[in-house]
């Protein structure tokens, strides 16, 4: 106890040391017994089969679009669209995600919730940016110049042999630079992640409060077999 007249001691030094957490640390039976039922329940939920992949689904099996990228973009489009429409009355026109956000392939065989956590370990949520057609053209130029197969859906981008944009189709119609398009992406990208600065042109942004990973799990639950393919959504003519 210190009186009002007394001066409290000053902190002079803090000692600390780094403790490595590895197999050398002995487990404690009491802690293991306490954690066991929770661990078993979580593992049961994560490892229960939701769907099936008849072949590996990878982000490296194509040049401009890939099976994993196409699957991810298509999932975001199908699962987030009802939420966005119920809140705004509009429908999502296209999806853009980032190649680096896909962190694992989906191996051939049973697919579970754990698979979704491996592919998308981040807490990224789906947001929808309102972009003018002129900004969509910037997006197309970014896709052309990036050298990576960033996942897209709802649009079809064709480059000519000289790497110039030959055509840009959105929902079956040519790009209208004066029209506003609703672009689903992640909260990371809408803030300029992966140098996608064109999202800063957004007239408005709607957060669906829906994690990309949860969209994957919901899609897996209602899909018997995953069969994404490399298609013509982004191609270069010879």
């Amino acid at each position: 106890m210190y009186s009002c007249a007394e001066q409290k001691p000053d902190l002079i030094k803090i000692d600390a040391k780094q403790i490595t957490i590895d197999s050398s640390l002995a487990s404690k039976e009491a802690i293991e017994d306490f954690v066991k039922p929770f661990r078993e329940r979580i593992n049961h939920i994560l490892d229960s089969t939701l769907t099936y992949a008849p072949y590996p689904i990878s982000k490296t099996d194509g040049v401009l679009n890939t099976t994993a990228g196409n699957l991810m973009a298509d999932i975001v489009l199908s699962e987030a669209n009802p939420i966005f429409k119920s809140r705004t009355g509009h429908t999502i026109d296209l999806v853009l995600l980032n190649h680096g956000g896909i962190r694992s392939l989906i191996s051939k065989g049973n697919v579970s919730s754990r698979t979704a956590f491996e592919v998308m370990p981040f807490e990224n949520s789906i947001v929808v940016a309102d972009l003018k057609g002129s900004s969509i053209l910037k997006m197309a130029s970014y896709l052309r110049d990036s050298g990576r197969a960033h996942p897209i859906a709802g649009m079809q981008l064709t480059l000519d042999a000289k790497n110039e944009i030959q055509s840009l189709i959105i929902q079956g119609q040519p790009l209208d630079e004066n029209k506003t398009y609703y672009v689903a992406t992640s909260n990371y990208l809408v803030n300029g992640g992966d140098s996608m600065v064109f999202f800063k042109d957004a007239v408005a942004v709607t957060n669906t409060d829906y994690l990309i990973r949860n969209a994957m799990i919901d899609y897996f639950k209602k899909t018997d077999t995953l069969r994404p393919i490399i298609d013509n959504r982004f191609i270069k003519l010879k």
Side-chain angles (χ1 to χ4, degrees):
M1 298 289 290
Y2 293 91
S3 69
C4 294
E6 291 179 309
Q7 183 177 0
K8 295 183 179 180
D10 295 326
L11 180 64
I12 298 174
K13 182 177 67 172
I14 296 177
D15 289 325
K17 64 179 180 179
Q18 186 175 23
I19 300 175
T20 303
I21 300 176
D22 56 24
S23 58
S24 66
L25 293 176
S27 62
K28 293 185 179 295
E29 185 176 355
I31 295 177
E32 286 296 317
D33 289 344
F34 177 79
V35 170
K36 182 179 179 181
F38 299 99
R39 179 188 292 123
E40 290 178 345
R41 176 60 179 165
I42 291 173
N43 286 337
H44 173 73
I45 294 173
L46 288 178
D47 293 327
S48 296
T49 299
L50 302 179
T51 184
Y52 180 78
Y55 47 81
I57 301 170
S58 170
K59 71 173 186 177
T60 61
D61 54 11
V63 178
L64 298 179
N65 68 92
T66 68
T67 54
N70 293 349
L71 176 65
M72 291 283 288
D74 289 346
I75 286 174
V76 168
L77 183 59
S78 68
E79 301 306 300
N81 198 43
I83 298 173
F84 180 66
K85 187 173 183 179
S86 69
R87 294 185 183 182
T88 67
H90 301 294
T91 57
I92 295 170
D93 292 300
L94 64 144
V95 175
L96 172 62
L97 303 174
N98 61 319
H99 182 269
I102 303 174
R103 307 303 284 190
S104 174
L105 62 74
I106 298 177
S107 300
K108 177 182 177 179
N110 293 335
V111 176
S112 64
S113 294
R114 189 182 298 277
T115 308
F117 275 84
E118 292 169 348
V119 174
M120 176 53 66
F122 312 110
E123 299 297 299
N124 287 341
S125 62
I126 301 169
V127 299
V128 182
D130 301 9
L131 290 179
K132 290 290 187 181
S134 54
S135 296
I136 302 299
L137 194 56
K138 293 179 185 178
M139 178 192 298
S141 296
Y142 171 90
L143 290 170
R144 176 196 62 191
D145 299 336
S146 70
R148 310 188 80 183
H150 294 295
I152 61 173
M155 66 182 292
Q156 201 271 324
L157 176 60
T158 302
L159 306 179
D160 63 21
K162 295 181 180 180
N163 214 43
E164 297 297 329
I165 297 172
Q166 183 180 81
S167 66
L168 178 54
I169 307 297
I170 299 175
Q171 293 296 332
Q173 298 296 322
L175 175 73
D176 181 348
E177 292 194 43
N178 297 312
K179 181 180 177 179
T180 297
Y181 294 92
Y182 302 103
V183 185
T185 186
S186 72
N187 58 323
Y188 166 69
L189 297 179
V190 84
N191 290 315
D194 265 10
S195 299
M196 295 190 185
V197 295
F198 46 82
F199 277 121
K200 294 182 180 180
D201 298 338
V203 177
V205 175
T206 302
N207 194 333
T208 66
D209 305 304
Y210 192 21
L211 295 182
I212 296 176
R213 182 175 57 243
N214 288 348
M216 293 176 64
I217 292 171
D218 289 342
Y219 181 86
F220 291 166
K221 287 178 179 178
K222 61 186 181 184
T223 305
D224 179 77
T225 306
L226 303 176
R227 297 185 183 276
I229 61 171
I230 299 169
D231 54 28
N232 67 345
R233 67 185 68 192
F234 186 11
I235 58 173
K236 181 177 179 179
L237 303 176
K238 296 182 180 180

